[in-house]
């Protein structure tokens, strides 16, 4: 194994670049055409760091003299694993397929293997720790949480860093790292679904916006606008009384309003929240869902997605068979290096019979 190459960067991790233009809460002075001063005020919530594109731009590994830090913060990836139901479900589908065919071994049980697969699919890194026996061999293997495991500068060294100042150094050669190859560095794996992360954040933002829209409690039901010169104060009070009585027991009753010699559009109902409600919620949800599933390469019928057309998604059994051959079998092979490392076949899978037409 060659010594990993990495660049030590003297910079602050994930520092936001200079932003041109107005910032949140900044008052922008301007001058109107009539010569009067006009002020425009921009307001809103601060943009979360995880939703910035810079999250996937700084893919270099820096080190502190003992271990390398991941190119993407592991806590950010663990939070991103739950950002969308389709994203989390796609990961779980792959886990279920692997667990279905996995053959338990005295050195590697189903629970440990499932945990390793979860780390590999969610964080693109899985760490297998050898448990020694009294004779110096291996009594079994266990999972070292990928969120806290760090690769040392010395080949074969790994550290468990859960809290600052409380790191634990594994015995040299006692940990095996499983990871997919990366383009920017060869120290840590980078999730393949990273390209769909922005779509997952947009999916979450659409849901949060809709929730805030319904829960903020500041929406007026409607405004009754009456523009009739012949409407007296007594008539206006009668309308108010009728509307007031529509609450409680009298709700959902029809209101009859007759204005002799009234004008067209003399009475209008204005809904203040109608414009805000007409967002592209369903379009955003469906589009971002497709992006997420494309990144995971999981057929939608395997996730319980309801088709929007009459033709549906096709036969689920056929989709499952193709998914198994194209995704699950290659994923099984990525865990076979454990056997070579231990010198014993502890990772085994049952074969599946092909569907007969």
């Amino acid at each position: 194994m060659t010594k990993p190459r990495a660049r030590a960067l003297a910079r602050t991790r994930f520092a936001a670049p200079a932003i041109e233009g107005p910032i949140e809460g900044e008052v922008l002075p301007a001058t109107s055409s009539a010569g009067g001063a006009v002020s425009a005020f921009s307001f809103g919530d601060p943009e979360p760091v995880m939703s910035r594109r810079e999250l996937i731009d700084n893919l270099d590994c820096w080190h502190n003299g003992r271990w390398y830090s991941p190119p993407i913060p592991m806590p950010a990836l663990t939070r991103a694993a739950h950002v969308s139901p389709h994203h989390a479900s796609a990961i779980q589908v792959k886990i279920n397929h692997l667990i279905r065919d996995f053959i338990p071994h005295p050195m590697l049980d189903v629970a440990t293997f499932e945990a390793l697969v979860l780390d590999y699919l969610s964080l693109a890194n899985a760490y297998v720790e050898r448990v020694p026996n009294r004779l110096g061999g291996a009594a079994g293997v266990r999972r070292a949480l990928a969120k806290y495991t760090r690769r040392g500068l010395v080949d074969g060294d790994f550290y468990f860093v859960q809290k600052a100042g409380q790191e634990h150094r594994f015995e040299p050669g006692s940990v095996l790292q499983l990871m997919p190859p990366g383009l920017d560095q060869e120290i840590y794996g980078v999730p393949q679904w990273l390209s769909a992360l922005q779509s997952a954040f947009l999916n979450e933002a659409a849901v949060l916006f809709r929730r805030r829209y319904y829960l903020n409690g500041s929406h007026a039901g409607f405004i009754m606008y009456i523009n009739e010169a012949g409407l007296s104060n007594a008539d206006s009070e009668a309308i108010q009384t009728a509307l007031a009585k529509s609450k409680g027991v009298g709700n959902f009753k029809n209101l009859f309003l007759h204005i002799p010699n009234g004008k067209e559009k003399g009475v209008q109902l204005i809904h203040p929240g109608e414009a805000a409600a007409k967002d592209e919620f369903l379009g955003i949800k469906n589009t971002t869902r497709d992006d997420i599933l494309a990144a995971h390469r999981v057929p939608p019928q395997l996730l319980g997605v309801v088709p929007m057309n009459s033709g549906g998604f096709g036969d689920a059994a056929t989709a499952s068979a193709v998914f198994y051959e194209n995704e699950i079998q290659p994923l099984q092979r990525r865990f076979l290096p454990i056997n070579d490392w231990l010198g014993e076949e502890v990772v085994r899978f049952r074969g599946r019979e092909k569907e007969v037409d």
Side-chain angles (χ1 to χ4, degrees):
M1 180 182 297
T2 60
K3 186 175 181 179
R5 298 183 301 274
R7 287 174 289 174
L9 303 182
R11 57 171 172 80
T12 302
R13 287 191 299 170
F14 303 100
I19 301 176
E20 298 180 357
I23 60 175
E24 298 291 348
E26 181 181 8
V27 178
L28 306 178
T31 303
S32 66
S33 59
V38 178
S39 295
F41 183 78
S42 172
F43 63 93
D45 295 332
E47 184 179 1
V49 175
M50 285 183 58
S51 69
R52 300 187 65 88
R53 185 171 181 83
E54 288 79 8
L55 180 66
I56 61 177
D57 286 344
N58 300 324
L59 294 180
D60 295 297
C61 297
W62 64 277
H63 64 81
N64 61 358
R66 287 178 293 173
W67 64 77
Y68 293 103
S69 290
I72 301 177
M74 289 299 173
L77 291 179
T78 56
R79 292 194 299 269
H82 307 285
V83 71
S84 165
H86 307 105
H87 175 52
S89 182
I91 293 177
Q92 189 61 46
V93 164
K94 293 182 179 180
I95 294 176
N96 292 342
H97 274 267
L98 288 174
I99 295 303
R100 169 186 172 182
D101 301 324
F102 177 72
I103 301 175
H105 189 274
M107 296 177 61
L108 180 60
D109 56 17
V110 176
T112 302
F113 179 72
E114 181 179 2
L116 292 174
V117 176
L118 178 63
D119 281 347
Y120 187 89
L121 295 177
S122 301
L123 305 178
N125 292 276
Y127 300 91
V128 186
E129 182 186 3
R130 181 193 293 112
V131 180
N133 56 21
R134 296 181 178 179
L135 301 178
V141 295
R142 60 190 174 194
R143 166 206 188 191
L145 273 75
K147 181 178 180 180
Y148 305 110
T149 304
R150 301 293 180 263
R151 186 168 177 171
L153 271 66
V154 180
D155 191 19
D157 273 2
F158 290 90
Y159 293 83
F160 191 83
V161 186
Q162 188 171 7
K163 293 182 180 180
Q166 299 182 6
E167 65 272 7
H168 165 72
R169 182 173 179 264
F170 294 98
E171 289 294 328
S174 64
V175 174
L176 172 66
Q177 180 186 17
L178 300 175
M179 69 174 189
L183 293 174
D184 299 276
Q185 44 78 40
E186 55 184 15
I187 309 300
Y188 294 100
V190 177
Q192 297 178 351
W193 45 261
L194 207 60
S195 58
L197 196 57
Q198 298 299 326
S199 294
F201 286 142
L202 179 59
N203 188 297
E204 180 193 38
V207 175
L208 294 177
F209 170 80
R210 183 55 64 95
R211 288 190 63 216
R212 286 194 294 265
Y213 175 79
Y214 283 111
L215 296 179
N216 64 11
S218 63
H219 298 290
F222 65 86
I223 298 175
M224 176 176 284
Y225 172 74
I226 302 179
N227 184 21
E228 291 292 344
L231 192 68
S232 64
N233 292 335
D235 296 333
S236 177
E237 293 176 359
I239 296 174
Q240 294 180 34
T241 302
L243 292 175
K245 290 183 177 180
S246 64
K247 299 179 180 179
V249 180
N251 58 4
F252 297 107
K253 287 187 177 181
N254 297 324
L255 176 65
F256 174 74
L257 179 63
H258 173 64
I259 302 178
N261 300 322
K263 299 178 298 183
E264 183 181 1
K265 295 184 179 180
V267 178
Q268 300 182 43
L269 292 180
I270 303 175
H271 296 272
E274 185 177 359
K278 291 182 179 179
D279 61 323
E280 294 294 333
F281 179 72
L282 293 180
I284 292 175
K285 291 289 291 182
N286 293 336
T287 302
T288 54
R289 177 202 65 192
D290 295 343
D291 289 345
I292 295 170
L293 297 187
H296 284 284
R297 299 174 301 279
V298 177
Q301 57 266 53
L302 300 185
L303 299 180
V305 177
V306 179
M308 304 300 294
N309 54 11
S310 58
F313 294 124
D315 182 47
T318 302
S320 179
V322 174
F323 177 69
Y324 170 73
E325 292 184 4
N326 294 343
E327 293 295 329
I328 300 304
Q329 285 186 328
L331 188 57
Q332 291 175 349
R333 294 180 178 272
R334 290 183 170 92
F335 290 89
L336 296 182
I338 299 177
N339 298 338
D340 299 333
W341 180 62
L342 290 175
E344 187 173 350
E345 189 180 13
V346 299
V347 179
R348 301 169 296 172
F349 299 96
R350 301 181 182 89
R352 297 187 188 180
E353 297 181 0
K354 293 186 176 181
E355 298 291 338
V356 180
D357 296 334

